[in-house]
Amino acid sequence: MYGLAGKKVWVCGHRGMVGSAIVRRLATEDCAVLTAGSDVLDLRDGAAVQTWMRANRPDFVFMAAAKVGGILANRDFPADFLYDNLMIEANVIKGAADVGVEKLLLLGSSCIYPKHATQPMPESALLTGPLEPTNEWYAIAKIAGVKLCQAFRAQHGCDFISAMPTNLYGEGDNFDLTSSHVLPALMRKVHEAKVNGQPTVEIWGTGAPLREFLHVDDLADACVHLAKVYSDPVAINVGSGQEVSIRALAELIADVVGYKGTFTFDASKPDGTPRKLLDTTLLASTGWTPAVTLRSGIAATYRWYLDNLAAKAVRQ
Ligand code: GFB
């Protein structure tokens, strides 16, 4: 058991959807939360990261900072997805080792597994086959992050762990249609179609791919749980078991939003990997299970979208 009480905990990437959810979750832990926005610290700058870490000396680091995006952003910006993520991981992990951080949790993604891995995908599927081409740059960076944690554990005895979440969504998500993931993109498209009286909404690809979705508050809770109980080189899966086709996801969102129109499918856009369901046997064995259903999580996210972004987005 690792105790967070009385510790200085750096949430690296605290302005992102995942980092901000971890900050919210840490409010019920007796720890001091450290943050450093990109305006004060460029995580791609190794010297700056070293200086910041020496000045602030965190005990624990949640590594939630990353360059992230949906299927088209991954395809169109391979250099950014590979370079930025490699640099961020290398600088923070090396800096953490140098200043004697007690424990670090790196967040990755289920896209680290091979495109045609057996489903559900166990942790042992890592590096057993070719990656899905649309996200191989991000996946390679995240695999390198996992390997950095394992290498620093093996060579220097650092208690650095990794968690691989499935597709995430929730409050604070990115609703920009060119760079977002599917769930916020479809929520915005369906909402705007309802407001504007449009009879159809366009879905990229065939609608057939299967995806598993986890609400970000569940992920944050799992991260705090793993910080306390997990200490192993194996990058542990964090999933919900809530798997739907993209078509079924669109229908569920339409139901929550109250949209009565139809969907068309743009086959010129990529489907990506056909299925990405995580095997969460290892996580369950640590005593953690998710609490947010897909419908209630989508409803909560839609309320957040209406309160924060909807009016602005429709004007753009
Ligand atoms: O969420 P998404 O962009 O990422 O797309 P991945 C999931 C599926 O939804 C794909 C389809 O089959 C998309 O073609 N889709 C349908 C849409 N309509 C839309 C839309 O309007 N916007 C988007 N974005 N998708 C990402 C990786 O893969 O998953 C990342 O690229 C990361 O590296 C992330 O691993 C979790 O699930 O395909």
Side-chain angles (χ1 to χ4, degrees):
M1 281 292 286
Y2 179 85
L4 289 170
K7 299 291 170 64
K8 283 203 281 185
V9 179
W10 181 21
V11 181
C12 188
H14 73 286
R15 291 200 179 119
M17 175 176 71
V18 170
S20 55
I22 293 173
V23 171
R24 286 198 298 276
R25 173 61 184 78
L26 288 174
T28 54
E29 301 291 321
D30 183 21
C31 62
V33 175
L34 304 180
T35 58
S38 55
D39 47 332
V40 294
L41 178 60
D42 182 349
L43 296 169
R44 295 165 300 182
D45 179 343
V49 172
Q50 285 279 347
T51 302
W52 189 91
M53 290 187 92
R54 287 192 193 289
N56 291 279
R57 300 211 163 258
D59 300 304
F60 188 99
V61 180
F62 286 102
M63 262 292 287
K67 166 90 179 161
V68 298
I71 193 164
L72 285 198
N74 271 266
R75 187 195 64 184
D76 295 343
F77 302 102
D80 294 352
F81 276 84
L82 182 55
Y83 178 83
D84 286 5
N85 286 310
L86 283 175
M87 296 306 287
I88 292 168
E89 290 162 358
N91 292 336
V92 174
I93 290 169
K94 175 75 163 67
D98 286 352
V99 302
V101 163
E102 293 171 359
K103 193 165 183 177
L104 175 148
L105 187 158
L106 171 80
L107 281 155
S109 165
S110 59
C111 71
I112 63 166
Y113 294 117
K115 174 170 185 160
H116 296 296
T118 52
Q119 306 283 329
M121 303 180 291
E123 286 82 359
S124 58
L126 186 62
L127 294 173
T128 56
L131 298 164
E132 154 62 31
T134 53
N135 58 35
E136 71 170 320
W137 315 101
Y138 181 72
I140 295 270
K142 286 298 171 183
I143 293 169
V146 169
K147 290 293 163 192
L148 272 175
C149 288
Q150 292 174 350
F152 276 85
R153 174 181 289 272
Q155 187 177 335
H156 298 295
C158 300
D159 192 2
F160 293 174
I161 60 173
S162 307
M164 298 300 118
T166 194
N167 285 36
L168 301 168
Y169 71 99
E171 292 83 332
D173 211 337
N174 170 19
F175 287 80
D176 174 81
L177 295 180
T178 55
S179 60
S180 65
H181 292 100
V182 61
L183 196 151
L186 292 184
M187 185 173 287
R188 176 173 169 180
K189 287 184 192 176
V190 166
H191 168 78
E192 293 184 358
K194 180 187 160 191
V195 169
N196 298 328
Q198 293 161 3
T200 63
V201 167
E202 185 189 275
I203 295 179
W204 296 351
T206 61
L210 295 165
R211 293 290 184 273
E212 177 190 21
F213 293 96
L214 178 73
H215 190 271
V216 72
D217 286 346
D218 267 341
L219 174 71
D221 191 59
C223 287
V224 170
H225 168 77
L226 291 171
K228 295 175 181 174
V229 307
Y230 191 72
S231 179
D232 194 278
V234 171
I236 187 168
N237 290 340
V238 183
S240 65
Q242 300 186 72
E243 186 185 38
V244 288
S245 70
I246 297 305
R247 177 194 287 270
L249 175 72
E251 288 166 355
L252 179 55
I253 290 172
D255 198 37
V256 169
V257 170
Y259 176 64
K260 306 287 182 216
T262 58
F263 295 102
T264 56
F265 295 88
D266 177 0
S268 72
K269 299 284 195 311
D271 268 347
T273 198
R275 194 178 180 200
K276 259 199 298 195
L277 178 64
L278 289 175
D279 181 337
T280 53
T281 307
L282 180 58
L283 179 65
S285 76
T286 71
W288 188 87
T289 47
V292 183
T293 64
L294 184 55
R295 174 177 281 274
S296 69
I298 287 174
T301 306
Y302 186 50
R303 279 193 299 276
W304 184 89
Y305 175 71
L306 290 176
D307 290 346
N308 292 276
L309 296 177
K312 195 170 131 215
V314 168
R315 279 200 303 273
Q316 283 173 352

